[in-house]
């Protein structure tokens, strides 16, 4: 590869270390984690509602959705490690905790009142506000194309 690009092998090996993580890739991975998390939350909500109202239904769908929700939420939370400023990282963690609390409240309301698609639309609306307004303005995490 060094011959192909006409650079030294040492420069090829250390180029990634000097540049650091790719900010475009990092922001898009964060965006993907947030969207997956709200999708799996909606799936869990629907599974709980169905199991509660139709006890004979398969509880395995809920467990599967719950595992995916936990994995996507963990992925979403670990994206804070890319923030170099520790104070900003703490602020981001608090804001994300608030976002997750609002989403959990929306999920509980959806499950309790059987809101179905209206509840999913509420969760997606909260997600869009978080991704398009709060993240870029307050969390120092501008999403790029």
């Amino acid at each position: 590869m060094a011959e192909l690009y006409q650079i030294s092998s040492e420069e090829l090996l250390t180029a990634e270390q000097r540049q650091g993580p790719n900010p475009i890739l990092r922001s898009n991975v964060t965006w993907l984690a947030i969207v997956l998390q709200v999708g799996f939350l909606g799936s869990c909500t629907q599974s709980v509602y169905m199991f509660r109202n139709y006890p004979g239904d398969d509880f395995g769908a809920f467990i599967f959705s719950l595992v995916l929700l936990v994995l996507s939420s963990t992925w979403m939370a670990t994206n804070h490690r890319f923030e170099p400023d520790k104070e900003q990282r703490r602020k981001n963690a608090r804001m994300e905790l608030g976002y997750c609390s609002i989403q959990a409240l929306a999920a509980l309301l959806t499950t309790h009142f059987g809101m179905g698609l209206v509840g999913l639309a509420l969760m997606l609306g909260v997600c869009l506000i978080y991704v398009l307004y709060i993240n870029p303005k307050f969390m120092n995490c501008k999403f790029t194309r």
Side-chain angles (χ1 to χ4, degrees), residues 43-110:
S43 177
C44 279
T45 303
Q46 183 64 23
S47 296
V48 167
Y49 176 76
M50 292 300 287
F51 187 75
R52 209 174 98 198
N53 292 318
Y54 306 101
D57 260 9
D58 183 23
F59 196 63
F62 169 71
I63 298 299
F64 182 71
S65 296
L66 185 63
V67 167
L68 292 176
L69 175 63
V70 168
L71 289 174
S72 63
S73 297
T74 303
W75 180 22
M76 190 171 112
T78 60
N79 283 325
H80 290 301
R81 71 183 183 279
F82 295 118
E83 177 59 52
D85 181 18
K86 289 186 184 218
E87 186 57 38
Q88 182 67 42
R89 191 181 311 163
R90 280 190 283 275
K91 178 183 171 187
N92 291 355
R94 286 190 301 268
M95 293 185 88
E96 194 164 273
L97 180 62
Y99 162 75
C100 289
S101 298
I102 291 170
Q103 286 291 45
L105 178 63
L108 287 172
L109 290 173
T110 300

Side-chain angles (χ1 to χ4, degrees), residues 7-70:
I7 59 174
S8 71
S9 57
E10 183 178 326
E11 186 177 359
L12 181 66
L13 293 172
T14 59
E16 177 65 28
Q17 294 172 349
R18 283 197 311 267
Q19 291 176 343
N22 183 336
I24 294 172
L25 178 64
R26 181 179 59 215
S27 68
N28 290 333
V29 164
T30 302
W31 181 82
L32 180 63
I34 293 167
V35 169
L36 285 175
Q37 190 249 5
V38 77
F40 295 135
L41 180 63
S43 177
C44 279
T45 303
Q46 183 64 23
S47 296
V48 167
Y49 176 76
M50 292 300 287
F51 187 75
R52 209 174 98 198
N53 292 318
Y54 306 101
D57 260 9
D58 183 23
F59 196 63
F62 169 71
I63 298 299
F64 182 71
S65 296
L66 185 63
V67 167
L68 292 176
L69 175 63
V70 168

